[in-house]
Amino acid sequence: MQVAPSILSADFGHLARDVEAICEGGCDLVHVDVMDGHFVPNLTIGPVVVSAVAKAATKPLDIHLMVENNSFFVDLFAPLKPRYISFHIEEEKHPHRLIQKIRSLGIKPAITLNPHTPPEAIEFLLEDVDMVLLMSVNPGFGGQKFIPSVIAKAKRLKAMIEKINPDCLIEIDGGVNDENVKELEAAGVDIVVAGSFVYKHPEGIAKAISALK
């Protein structure tokens, strides 16, 4: 299991320190939640702050856009050369075009599904993406409770991926901890995003990442 800690749960007063801590603690990716205050009711970080994150990180960035104008934000963050940029299918009118744009910039394209969106909504896009991110909470805020129905959804998505694009990975974001991670792995999940569990673990960041792996 790959682990992508979300810096949304980091101490933004000591952001470089907290990014370095997850990289040294054994994470695989640094998950960056970009929110615009429109698609979701929260406003997070722009390219100036993410540039500082990229400088502190020794692991690749995994940028999750929760925004209305996806193409604009792709242009903002592409110069930072993240490994993935994921966008929400619910907000994008021309997803295939955006996927092609992201790939042309040398970045792996990924699609995100909100908890209510069925995997069948992206069946005809699966062959073109490198990852699908399933939200297991409602997007916009950290520290929410895991929505159990996403496990059945992950299984359905995994079956589709195996037929259409076996190289496509599944990522889960929201409420992940050491109690549900084994069930997620059994459902076919490859990468877990965890913020609160990693940064607030009583035994420290490295222990939290190890528990998820």
Side-chain angles (χ1 to χ4, degrees), residues 125-145:
L125 295 167
L126 276 179
E127 65 180 345
D128 300 305
V129 296
D130 289 64
M131 184 173 76
V132 177
L133 169 54
L134 299 180
M135 294 301 299
S136 44
V137 297
N138 289 295
F141 297 94
Q144 297 182 69
K145 194 173 179 182

Side-chain angles (χ1 to χ4, degrees), residues 47-97:
V48 173
V49 175
V50 180
S51 178
V53 171
K55 286 174 185 172
T58 54
K59 300 294 176 71
L61 300 189
D62 172 27
I63 295 182
H64 173 197
L65 300 179
M66 288 172 262
V67 300
E68 285 191 347
N69 190 346
N70 284 302
S71 187
F72 170 79
F73 280 91
V74 167
D75 287 336
L76 283 183
F77 292 103
L80 300 176
K81 295 299 177 188
R83 176 170 293 175
Y84 298 101
I85 291 182
S86 57
F87 64 91
H88 277 260
I89 193 65
E90 299 87 4
E91 186 52 44
E92 184 52 45
K93 294 183 178 70
H94 304 287
H96 188 264
R97 182 187 300 164

Side-chain angles (χ1 to χ4, degrees), residues 2 35 43 60 150 181 186 205:
Q2 294 185 54
M35 309 180 193
L43 186 64
V150 79
V181 70
I205 286 170

Side-chain angles (χ1 to χ4, degrees), residues 134 149-159 170 172 187-189:
L134 299 180
S149 61
V150 79
I151 292 169
K153 187 171 164 181
K155 290 177 181 176
R156 272 168 57 186
L157 176 61
K158 185 66 174 179
I170 299 176
I172 293 274
V189 174

